[in-house]
């Protein structure tokens, strides 16, 4: 059974990916300092899979601590690297905090890949690397643009560092560019746990609907889109999770065409903010209290994925609709709110 190290394993996408890896026959260890996540996710993973995953609670910026994981687990076949700060707005306020955390963690991990000859590396990248695209949908050949935030810059630089490293390394890597991951595991045992006031659309919707927030703002209705609100590609977190398992298997089966293959992980459907809200209202039966406000700086006007490469190359079959995304996000909010 191939052993995989998942960094950020207690986080939103990390925890869902661990569930999918276990369900597909992989052994998993996690490393997460829980600075932006809850160790409770490990319990949720165990409830779903029956497997108690070991989590190393340490900071990947600490090289010796990071190295200790590999001394204790000499049979790590692959790494899926999620651990990073990802709040766009915060990264603008604290650029060095982001560059230090996201880049030092990655470089420490790659130094361990080199020393311990870990063959496969999957990187959590983002559609943020495309900036404001000149045409949509975007495919993996669409030129990247100067990042709109230090967060986006760390994803762009991360991709460059990994590509350069694997040019000379024995193994191979994959860059997975997520669009907008939303929703929760159908069991409601794991889901998204935003810290403080939610920045992202779907948790803002569900927290407003449940009354945690008095109302939510729609940031702009004067964009050149079909209804004036921004257009995004929402994708269920479980579909994203399964793509990671497929990416690892693709590397293990030596199907990669380069030492650093790139895939867009999006649904291929562009949905506006107002359409997302309408879908949520239809699925939940809750009328959402929102107001149209000014644009949010740094927002991309419109982006959605051409996901053909991932569908055909990885054999990725999407299982969840926009309605499923909204329903599972709402069911998760109902559970989390009952706990608090
Ligand atoms: C989506 C749309 C907002 C909140 C995210 C992450 C980023 C990266 C890519 C992973 C925008 C609008 C939002 C609200 C609103 N993820 N909105 N009211 O900006 O596309 O980026 O996905 O790598 O880390 O931030 O997602 O959910 O923040 O916003 O109107 O209260 O919803 O203006 O148009 P975004 P988002």
């Amino acid at each position: 059974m191939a052993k995989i190290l998942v960094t950020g394993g207690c986080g939103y996408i990390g925890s869902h990916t661990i569930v999918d890896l276990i369900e597909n026959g992989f052994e998993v260890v996690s490393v997460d300092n829980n600075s932006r996540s809850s160790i409770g996710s490990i319990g949720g993973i165990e409830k779903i899979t029956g497997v108690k995953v070991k989590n190393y609670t340490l900071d990947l910026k600490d090289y010796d601590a990071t190295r200790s994981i590999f001394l204790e687990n000499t049979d790590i076949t692959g790494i899926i690297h999620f651990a990073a700060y990802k709040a766009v707005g915060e990264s603008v306020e604290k650029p060095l905090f982001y560059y230090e955390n996201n880049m030092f963690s990655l470089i420490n991990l790659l130094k361990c890949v080199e020393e311990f000859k870990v063959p496969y590396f999957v990187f959590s990248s983002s559609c943020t690397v495309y900036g404001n695209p000149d045409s949509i949908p975007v495919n993996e050949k669409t030129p990247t643009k100067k990042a709109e935030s230090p967060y986006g810059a760390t994803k762009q630089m991360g991709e460059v560092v990994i590509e350069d490293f694997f040019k000379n390394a024995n193994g191979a890597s994959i860059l997975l560019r997520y669009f907008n991951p939303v929703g929760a595991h159908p069991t409601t045992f794991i889901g998204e746990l935003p810290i403080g006031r939610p920045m992202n659309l779907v948790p803002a919707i569900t927290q407003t609907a449940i009354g945690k927030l008095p109302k939510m703002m729609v940031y702009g209705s004067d964009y050149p889109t079909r209804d004036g609100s921004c257009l995004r590609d929402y994708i269920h977190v479980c579909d994203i999770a399964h793509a990671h398992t497929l990416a690892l298997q693709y590397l293990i089966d030596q199907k990669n065409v380069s030492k650093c293959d790139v895939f867009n992980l999006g649904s291929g459907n562009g949905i506006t903010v107002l359409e997302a809200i309408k879908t949520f209202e239809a699925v939940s039966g809750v009328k959402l209290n929102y107001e149209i406000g000014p644009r949010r700086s740094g927002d991309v006007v419109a982006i959605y994925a051409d996901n053909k490469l991932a569908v055909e190359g990885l054999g990725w079959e999407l299982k969840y609709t926009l309605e499923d995304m909204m329903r599972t996000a709402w069911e998760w909010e109902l559970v989390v709110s009952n706990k608090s």
Side-chain angles (χ1 to χ4, degrees):
M1 188 189 279
K3 182 184 278 189
I4 307 300
L5 172 65
V6 174
T7 76
C10 296
Y12 176 41
I13 305 175
S15 56
H16 286 80
T17 299
I18 290 179
V19 166
D20 198 89
L21 287 167
I22 292 170
E23 288 175 344
N24 285 277
F26 288 92
E27 183 185 352
V28 179
V29 289
S30 167
V31 52
D32 194 317
N33 65 1
N34 299 135
S35 63
R36 300 283 168 106
S37 63
S38 159
I39 192 67
S41 303
I42 296 294
I45 292 167
E46 186 176 1
K47 275 193 205 164
I48 298 168
T49 65
V51 173
K52 183 156 183 53
V53 170
K54 177 175 178 53
N55 180 67
Y56 290 87
T57 310
L58 57 85
D59 191 330
L60 293 170
K61 292 197 293 296
D62 178 338
Y63 176 60
D64 292 332
T66 302
R67 191 168 174 273
S68 70
I69 300 171
F70 296 84
L71 292 172
E72 200 172 305
N73 298 271
T74 54
D75 53 350
I76 291 174
T77 302
I79 298 173
I80 304 183
H81 181 39
F82 293 104
Y85 296 150
K86 65 137 211 160
V88 172
E90 181 187 42
S91 77
V92 173
E93 286 158 29
K94 304 177 186 171
L96 291 185
F97 187 59
Y98 268 67
Y99 288 121
E100 180 186 45
N101 184 71
N102 292 5
M103 300 315 295
F104 283 21
S105 303
L106 171 63
I107 289 165
N108 280 346
L109 269 177
L110 292 176
K111 284 162 75 174
C112 292
V113 165
E114 187 166 48
E115 179 182 355
F116 297 94
K117 298 182 176 40
V118 177
Y120 309 119
F121 193 90
V122 177
F123 180 60
S124 161
S125 190
S126 164
C127 62
T128 307
V129 303
Y130 295 114
N132 242 321
D134 297 332
S135 67
I136 48 177
V138 294
N139 62 45
E140 291 79 357
K141 296 254 184 297
T142 298
T144 58
K145 287 191 170 177
K146 183 171 178 344
E148 307 264 336
S149 68
Y151 157 75
T154 64
K155 288 302 180 186
Q156 287 180 335
M157 287 190 281
E159 291 194 353
V160 170
V161 167
I162 292 163
E163 186 176 15
D164 286 350
F165 171 78
F166 277 94
K167 273 180 190 146
N168 307 319
N170 294 330
S173 61
I174 283 184
L175 309 177
L176 296 178
R177 291 176 178 166
Y178 312 155
F179 282 70
N180 288 56
V182 296
H185 195 273
T187 59
T188 70
F189 291 145
I190 51 175
E192 191 168 9
L193 285 169
I195 297 167
R197 187 182 175 83
M199 292 298 297
N200 297 131
L201 178 65
V202 173
I205 289 175
T206 59
Q207 289 198 16
T208 302
I210 200 123
K212 274 186 192 166
L213 298 174
K215 76 177 167 195
M216 70 164 274
M217 301 298 284
V218 170
Y219 297 134
S221 63
D222 58 349
Y223 284 102
T225 63
R226 49 184 179 259
D227 63 13
S229 63
C230 287
L231 187 124
R232 293 287 183 278
D233 180 329
Y234 298 98
I235 175 84
H236 197 281
V237 64
C238 290
D239 279 330
I240 290 267
H242 189 54
H244 288 75
T245 303
L246 293 171
L248 264 181
Q249 200 55 57
Y250 172 90
L251 289 175
I252 292 168
D253 297 345
Q254 315 272 332
K255 289 183 178 167
N256 50 305
V257 297
S258 76
K259 305 276 273 177
C260 187
D261 286 0
V262 186
F263 294 99
N264 279 344
L265 296 188
S267 66
N269 304 313
I271 299 291
T272 69
V273 174
L274 292 172
E275 289 165 349
I277 289 173
K278 282 192 186 68
T279 304
F280 173 81
E281 291 180 324
V283 160
S284 64
V286 174
K287 184 90 182 74
L288 195 69
N289 182 20
Y290 67 89
E291 200 179 291
I292 305 284
R295 293 181 175 191
R296 179 172 73 175
S297 67
D299 265 341
V300 162
V301 178
I303 188 166
Y304 71 97
D306 170 346
N307 64 2
K308 264 197 293 302
L309 212 52
V311 169
E312 290 162 11
L314 298 180
W316 189 39
E317 290 169 27
L318 279 75
K319 294 195 170 63
Y320 295 84
T321 63
L322 183 65
E323 287 73 15
D324 294 329
M325 297 176 212
M326 295 301 175
R327 180 177 44 74
T328 54
W330 181 231
E331 287 167 350
W332 167 250
E333 184 64 63
L334 290 167
V335 165
V336 168
S337 300
N338 273 337
K339 280 182 199 154
S340 55

